[in-house]
Amino acid sequence: MRSSVLPVLLLCTALAGVIGGAFHFIRRDRQALVDQFARERNAQLQEATRGVSESLEDVGEDLSFTGELLSQPGTVEEHRRELRALLEAVGQYKAIIVFGRDGKERLRLLDKRTGAALARNYPTEAIRATASEALRDPSGHIHASPPVEGDATGWLRAFGTALPEDAPEGGGAVVVLVDSAPLFAPLRLLTTESDTQLLLLGAHGVPTALSAPTLADWYARLGEDAQHVPGLAELARRMRAGEEGTLVIDRAEAVRLGLGDAEVVASFTPVRFKNGAAWPVATLSSTRVLRSHEQSLVLRLSLAALLVSGFLIAFGVYVVLARTRAVALQESLRHASRLAHLHDKTQKILDHIPTGVLALSTSGRITAANRALASRMPPDVVGASLAAAFPQAHAPVIQRLEELVGAAVSDGRVRSLHGEPLRLFEEEGQYNVHAVPLEPHQPDVRTLLVLEDLSSLRALEGQLLRAEKLATVGVLAAGIAHEIGTPLGVIRGRAEYVQDKLGMEHPQAPGLGTIVEQIDRVSRTIRQLLDFSRLQPAESRAVALAPVVKAVQELLRVEAERRRVSLELELPPQLPALAADADQLQQVLVNLVLNACDACEPGGRVRLSATSVEADAPGAWGQVCITIEDDGCGIAPRHLNQVFDPFFTTKKRGLGTGLGLSMVAQIVRNHGGRIELDSAPSQGTRATLRWPAAAPAREEQHVG
């Protein structure tokens, strides 16, 4: 009973730990949520202040434009018309006033739409104060006044700047009375959420009409009640200092400020005004939404914990009731699991052995076969005899295997056959055969018959010997070519000399001409031998296939016409360049096309085509597949594996050296390509070149 309850207690303890850890992570991640919330609010504030800055910059540019306009020569009436046009074009401009260097008003223009009301409550003091400040600073510096007294909206402000010194009458100042509410319209969008309030200070540090009334009131009382709202006091200090950033105000102060029962994230930044004072602005956003999400998550976790706890209690009761029955089954399950594990391990080992393994029962029936051998045998081989497992084998071969198994069982030791030529499957092969006796108390697996197929190994050995012979023949041929080249040159020179002396009319002249022709023929063979023995490494570069194919067509056109063979080309327009040595690529195509022409009867056809092959791995370059087909006599199957061997040729004696296709194969391999032949007697021949495509231009530049 105690052993049954223990897992339940452990599960309950683990559940309690998971729930406690979840609450711990919720508390730890709350700060991360607050930081993310602050970043989002700060990003919104930055976006809004950019729009306000652009609007203020427009006012500054209009003031600069007005100064430049007044600096231009012209009468007062001309300047009045131009300023009137600016005043009517910009709706938020209410008046434009020009002052002289002495501070006296020289020109006043009022907006026609609000001019009458403005004339009755004309803000003389604010405008003159702004003009006085502007006259004290150089031209281009922008001054903004506090809110104009008597303005019910709180948005009417005067913006002024000094005129250039080269203006008429030695300079002066220009002041524009602006309804600044539209300039700060982007900030209104931040207060559309009920949990966000705004605090906007003007250039003189006074809250504007856009500020929340409660925040503006507390801001005005900071001198007396700063100890009650330390967060707001710190925010105001940093705003007046022109800083930007975020800070968190605790719940108690948030309640005091009327911002709700949750922490408040304050994001603040100055609204930049080129050549003018900054306008500090801050948004104060309650984190009540985060608290709501947190409470909802805690509630869901609590409900989940209760459900899981109820399930665990029910599961514990079930475990206690089922324990008595489980004890009886555990021992049998353990033995079965052990046997299954051993069987699975043995099967995996046998399946991954490349050598074939058969398990034979006491009666000689097959009880199992590994993957290497089962793939070559008939289906449903389990339970069959050796004769049924190897239907292609002759009776003496089956009898020999059965005798080997019987001898191994009777002697109790391994019996083997080494390197025996046996026909067990469709083709005869060489095998090592081992009969391994096992313990007699397992009648289902009494003997293992192990078959090692040596055919591939023997083929590799034959290819190695053949390659060594070919290499020896190549070196010997190159040496002979070097040795006989010089005497042949001497003989040819003497023959030409005698021919010149005797003249073309001499009876012996044709014989001397024959000597020169035969020596030239031997010299060509020597050159091919030398080219084959010292083929130079390929210097690959990007080569377009179409020009090379056209050159090959032009070179062989006369030869094809002489043999009355049709030479067809089929190249797609968008074909990638090849990574090749152009001369060697042309040599390959000339040899293959010429061989195809040789194989055709008069009226035959040779077709050269190319296609692009996509790369089969990400980041790899593709290939170009070049195909040369003919409808000629074809190649016998027994010669297909020899056509690329040096000195092998099916042409008549004296018509070929057997080096052309050998050089073609060597050039293709040096370029990283592959050549394939598909041919049958009287069916024609198809030679396929798989040539690597050149790297794209941008990749070549990067590598360089």
Side-chain angles (χ1 to χ4, degrees):
M1 180 67 69
R2 293 177 58 189
S3 61
S4 301
V5 176
L6 182 60
V8 178
L9 294 177
L10 291 176
L11 287 173
C12 292
T13 303
L15 178 62
V18 170
I19 295 175
F23 282 106
H24 168 72
F25 287 123
I26 289 174
R27 288 193 298 270
R28 188 193 69 178
D29 292 343
R30 174 171 173 75
Q31 185 60 43
L33 290 173
V34 171
D35 293 341
Q36 178 65 24
F37 183 78
R39 285 193 294 271
E40 292 175 355
R41 290 298 183 270
N42 192 53
Q44 293 175 356
L45 181 61
Q46 294 290 343
E47 182 66 25
T49 55
R50 274 195 293 271
V52 176
S53 296
E54 292 174 359
S55 299
L56 291 174
E57 290 296 333
D58 291 340
V59 175
E61 291 178 0
D62 288 343
L63 281 171
S64 299
F65 170 74
T66 304
E68 293 175 1
L69 185 64
L70 294 173
S71 300
Q72 300 297 323
T75 64
V76 174
E77 188 60 32
E78 289 175 344
H79 289 164
R80 180 185 297 274
R81 284 198 304 270
E82 293 168 344
L83 294 178
R84 171 66 65 184
L86 175 63
L87 185 62
E88 294 177 356
V90 183
Q92 61 264 32
Y93 292 173
K94 304 304 178 184
I96 299 178
I97 306 95
V98 180
F99 291 85
R101 186 67 180 171
D102 55 0
K104 293 182 180 180
E105 185 176 309
R106 292 194 330 220
L107 178 64
R108 179 192 300 180
L109 296 175
L110 301 182
D111 181 23
K112 293 180 179 180
R113 290 161 290 187
T114 58
L118 183 61
R120 289 193 297 270
N121 299 300
Y122 186 71
T124 305
E125 293 300 327
I127 292 174
R128 288 187 179 277
T130 304
S132 298
E133 291 179 358
L135 287 171
R136 287 195 293 269
D137 288 328
S139 175
H141 191 82
I142 310 300
H143 288 273
S145 72
V148 173
E149 294 183 5
D151 176 40
T153 65
W155 286 108
L156 197 60
R157 295 176 185 263
F159 291 84
T161 186
L163 295 175
E165 294 181 357
D166 57 354
E169 300 182 10
V174 60
V175 177
V176 177
L177 197 61
V178 182
D179 178 10
S180 57
L183 305 181
F184 294 90
L187 295 178
R188 294 182 184 274
L189 299 176
L190 300 177
T191 60
T192 55
E193 298 180 5
S194 59
D195 289 338
T196 300
Q197 295 191 18
L198 190 70
L199 178 61
L200 173 62
L201 305 182
H204 296 271
V206 179
T208 67
L210 196 59
S211 301
T214 305
L215 294 178
D217 182 60
W218 274 105
Y219 181 86
R221 294 156 45 194
L222 282 179
E224 302 172 358
D225 299 331
Q227 67 275 11
H228 296 104
V229 284
L232 181 62
E234 175 65 15
L235 174 63
R237 183 191 66 79
R238 297 179 67 176
M239 289 175 66
R240 288 192 294 265
E243 299 180 14
E244 63 178 54
T246 59
L247 59 85
V248 179
I249 299 175
D250 60 29
R251 292 175 58 189
E253 185 175 347
V255 173
R256 200 173 295 119
L257 293 172
L259 298 174
D261 186 17
E263 292 178 339
V264 169
V265 173
S267 300
F268 53 93
T269 186
V271 177
R272 304 296 181 185
F273 188 13
K274 184 178 179 183
N275 297 328
W279 297 52
V281 61
T283 58
L284 288 82
S285 303
S286 175
T287 60
R288 280 183 295 188
V289 176
L290 298 182
R291 181 174 295 277
S292 174
H293 288 311
E294 180 184 10
Q295 292 173 350
S296 175
L297 178 61
V298 171
L299 179 61
R300 288 197 296 269
L301 283 175
S302 301
L303 292 175
L306 289 175
L307 291 175
V308 173
S309 299
F311 170 76
L312 287 176
I313 293 172
F315 177 72
V317 173
Y318 171 78
V319 169
V320 172
L321 296 177
R323 179 65 178 175
T324 53
R325 289 181 296 173
V327 171
L329 296 175
Q330 280 183 348
E331 191 65 22
S332 59
L333 287 175
R334 186 175 66 83
H335 287 295
S337 176
R338 180 63 179 170
L339 289 174
H341 174 71
L342 292 176
H343 179 270
D344 185 59
K345 182 185 291 186
T346 304
Q347 190 64 39
K348 287 181 179 179
I349 292 173
L350 290 175
D351 282 342
H352 287 83
I353 293 176
T355 301
V357 179
L358 280 178
L360 302 176
S361 64
T362 304
S363 61
R365 296 285 175 172
I366 297 173
T367 57
N370 71 337
R371 188 179 304 169
L373 199 55
S375 61
R376 306 178 65 182
M377 296 166 57
D380 301 328
V381 72
V382 175
S385 62
L386 288 177
F390 301 103
Q392 290 88 3
H394 298 300
V397 175
I398 300 298
Q399 182 180 358
R400 193 170 184 185
L401 294 179
E402 291 174 345
E403 291 174 353
L404 185 69
V405 171
V409 170
S410 61
D411 294 346
R413 61 187 181 87
V414 178
R415 288 298 189 97
S416 303
L417 298 175
H418 296 283
E420 289 290 328
L422 302 174
R423 183 183 177 87
L424 297 177
F425 303 103
E426 293 181 358
E427 297 181 358
E428 183 176 316
Q430 287 187 318
Y431 297 90
N432 286 339
V433 185
H434 310 281
V436 182
L438 301 178
E439 295 296 329
H441 62 270
Q442 292 289 343
D444 289 344
V445 187
R446 182 66 182 90
T447 313
L448 293 180
L449 189 64
V450 181
L451 302 174
E452 295 181 76
D453 191 348
L454 304 178
S455 302
S456 299
L457 181 61
R458 295 293 184 261
L460 288 175
E461 291 176 352
Q463 291 179 7
L464 180 60
L465 291 173
R466 185 160 156 267
E468 291 179 352
K469 291 179 181 179
L470 291 175
T472 303
V473 170
V475 173
L476 179 61
I480 294 174
H482 279 289
E483 291 298 325
I484 66 177
T486 301
L488 283 175
V490 173
I491 295 172
R492 188 182 188 283
R494 294 298 179 89
E496 287 182 338
Y497 176 77
V498 174
Q499 189 178 31
D500 291 341
K501 288 295 185 181
L502 295 178
M504 299 304 296
E505 304 299 331
H506 195 275
Q508 298 300 326
L512 293 172
T514 301
I515 293 174
V516 172
E517 290 176 359
Q518 294 304 313
I519 291 175
D520 288 341
R521 178 180 169 190
V522 174
S523 298
R524 285 194 298 272
T525 303
I526 292 173
R527 281 196 301 273
Q528 290 181 339
L529 286 171
L530 292 177
D531 290 340
F532 176 75
S533 63
R534 61 185 182 193
L535 187 65
Q536 297 298 319
E539 296 182 0
S540 298
R541 57 177 55 87
V543 176
L545 180 61
V548 176
V549 171
K550 293 294 184 183
V552 172
Q553 183 186 28
E554 186 63 26
L555 285 173
L556 300 180
R557 180 176 56 83
V558 176
E559 186 68 20
E561 291 176 353
R562 185 179 66 83
R563 303 182 186 199
R564 289 187 293 167
V565 173
S566 172
L567 181 56
E568 302 175 1
L569 304 180
E570 185 178 335
L571 299 178
Q574 301 297 330
L575 198 65
L578 279 64
D581 181 301
D583 293 337
Q584 293 189 13
L585 175 62
Q586 180 174 322
Q587 182 179 359
V588 168
L589 296 179
V590 166
N591 273 282
L592 292 176
V593 173
L594 194 56
N595 279 357
C597 291
D598 289 341
C600 292
E601 296 293 334
R605 182 178 62 90
V606 176
R607 179 173 172 268
L608 190 152
S609 60
T611 57
S612 177
V613 181
E614 295 293 335
D616 56 359
W621 301 326
Q623 291 182 330
V624 175
C625 183
I626 306 171
T627 304
I628 296 95
E629 298 178 89
D630 65 68
D631 55 0
C633 59
I635 303 173
R638 67 179 183 278
H639 292 152
L640 271 177
N641 294 329
Q642 298 176 280
V643 293
F644 295 115
D645 292 346
F647 311 111
F648 176 82
T649 180
T650 58
K651 297 179 181 179
K652 296 180 180 180
R653 183 177 182 85
L655 297 181
T657 60
L659 293 174
L661 288 180
S662 299
M663 295 179 66
V664 165
Q666 193 167 349
I667 290 172
V668 173
R669 285 194 296 269
N670 284 350
H671 283 80
R674 190 168 77 249
I675 183 170
E676 302 170 355
L677 276 185
D678 184 11
S679 182
S682 302
Q683 300 294 323
T685 302
R686 180 173 65 250
T688 303
L689 295 175
R690 299 188 181 273
W691 205 288
R698 59 179 183 274
E699 297 185 17
E700 293 178 354
Q701 294 171 0
H702 177 72
V703 173

